[in-house]
Amino acid sequence: MSVYDLFHLEGKTALVTGGARGLGKSIAKALSEAGARIIITDIHVEEARQAVQEMTPASEQHFALEMNVTDEESVQSTINQITEEYGGIHILVNNAGTVQKKPTIEMSLKEWQTTMNVNVDGVFLTSKFVAEHMMNRGGGTIINMASMSSFISNTEAQSAYNASKGAVHTMTKCFALEWADDSIRVNAIAPGYMETDMTKPIFQPGGELAHVLDYVPMKRLGKPEELGGMAVYLASDASSFVTGSTFVIDGGYTIW
């Protein structure tokens, strides 16, 4: 088998949660370029539809659906719809997430729970229902979006986010162990500070987080497309002996 054959995703269907914008949109694009059919789910379904239209090649083979990862009924019914109408899910990317930069002492329980509901409960629910379908069809691969904040506390106050991403890192190992016998591989990508339309202004000179670049050995932000190669690797047969791992892509931030 050639290296190209190891990496290609032709004939595979990939579900990307929260893929209407940012990192999820970029990962969905990379998977589509490797040959996968993409289904983006998002609470912002119109933005998801626009993201699908921008994909190449063959945007008509990709689809967008509304799904709320914190709502068990929404997750279960959407995944059932995907498996019935589109022939199953080979690849799941648990990308939907949220962050609140707020000191712990100023954070309400509701704010804490909002972060946990999206970043932890959402990964649990989506993985659970997708894995059940994968078991019935002979396996698959799940990619969770963790963070370098799964391992460090960062320089700013965001305890809820860091705790939630630490949970994603651990859930990745737990799911991988539980489902290895079912031929389901589970891994995670842990990005560092990434440049998106939403984050770019706060990292510019004078911005709220401009100082963090002093801690990045490569002295720049990551670009969303720099996650695509890892996503394709983890989704493909190139990583057939890889499970339970979290891959940090942070420009060296966690070296310190």
Side-chain angles (χ1 to χ4, degrees):
M1 182 180 292
S2 70
V3 169
Y4 172 80
D5 290 333
L6 284 175
F7 281 89
H8 81 76
L9 300 174
E10 281 91 347
K12 302 292 181 67
T13 296
L15 166 61
V16 182
T17 69
R21 63 179 78 166
L23 304 186
K25 180 179 177 180
S26 182
I27 287 173
K29 181 175 182 292
L31 296 177
S32 73
E33 290 175 352
R37 174 168 61 178
I38 306 300
I39 299 173
I40 290 177
T41 60
D42 206 291
I43 57 174
H44 305 289
V45 68
E46 290 303 323
E47 289 187 38
R49 291 188 180 116
Q50 180 59 41
V52 162
Q53 289 302 311
E54 295 172 10
M55 285 185 190
T56 57
S59 62
E60 65 274 6
Q61 74 170 333
H62 309 306
F63 303 92
L65 298 170
E66 184 173 2
M67 186 174 84
N68 180 351
V69 297
T70 70
D71 184 312
E72 183 172 13
E73 183 179 350
S74 174
V75 174
Q76 186 172 22
S77 63
T78 303
I79 290 169
N80 286 340
Q81 178 185 351
I82 293 170
T83 58
E84 291 168 6
E85 295 183 10
Y86 305 113
I89 301 166
H90 303 89
I91 302 156
L92 166 64
V93 181
N94 278 312
N95 171 76
T98 188
V99 60
Q100 296 182 68
K101 297 184 183 299
K102 193 169 188 177
T104 303
I105 201 167
E106 297 175 10
M107 184 179 298
S108 69
L109 177 60
K110 184 176 181 180
E111 290 172 325
W112 174 275
Q113 290 173 333
T114 294
T115 299
M116 295 300 166
N117 287 343
V118 178
N119 295 358
V120 180
D121 297 352
V123 172
F124 160 70
L125 287 172
T126 309
S127 297
K128 170 187 173 180
F129 290 117
V130 170
E132 185 177 11
H133 285 289
M134 286 180 171
M135 289 174 188
N136 293 331
R137 63 184 323 281
T141 182
I142 296 174
I143 303 168
N144 295 326
M145 292 303 291
S147 169
M148 68 176 184
S149 302
S150 302
F151 308 98
I152 61 172
S153 62
N154 297 64
T155 60
E156 64 271 17
Q158 51 180 49
S159 62
Y161 177 80
N162 293 5
S164 72
K165 291 303 182 178
V168 171
H169 167 65
T170 301
M171 285 193 294
T172 297
K173 292 180 176 293
C174 294
F175 296 165
L177 181 61
E178 287 188 39
W179 301 333
D181 287 344
D182 298 294
S183 299
I184 299 172
R185 296 187 298 104
V186 187
N187 294 288
I189 299 173
Y193 289 110
M194 308 298 291
E195 180 181 314
T196 66
D197 291 340
M198 183 165 42
T199 65
K200 185 176 180 179
I202 63 176
F203 290 105
Q204 291 179 338
E208 175 189 355
L209 295 181
H211 66 281
V212 304
L213 293 180
D214 293 336
Y215 299 97
V216 181
M218 294 182 72
K219 300 303 179 187
R220 67 174 178 86
L221 301 175
K223 298 183 182 301
E225 56 268 26
E226 291 179 301
L227 304 180
M230 180 59 72
V232 171
Y233 168 70
L234 293 176
S236 71
D237 289 340
S239 60
S240 58
F241 198 51
V242 179
T243 197
S245 294
T246 298
F247 295 84
V248 180
I249 304 176
D250 67 351
Y253 189 99
T254 53
I255 289 174
W256 302 104

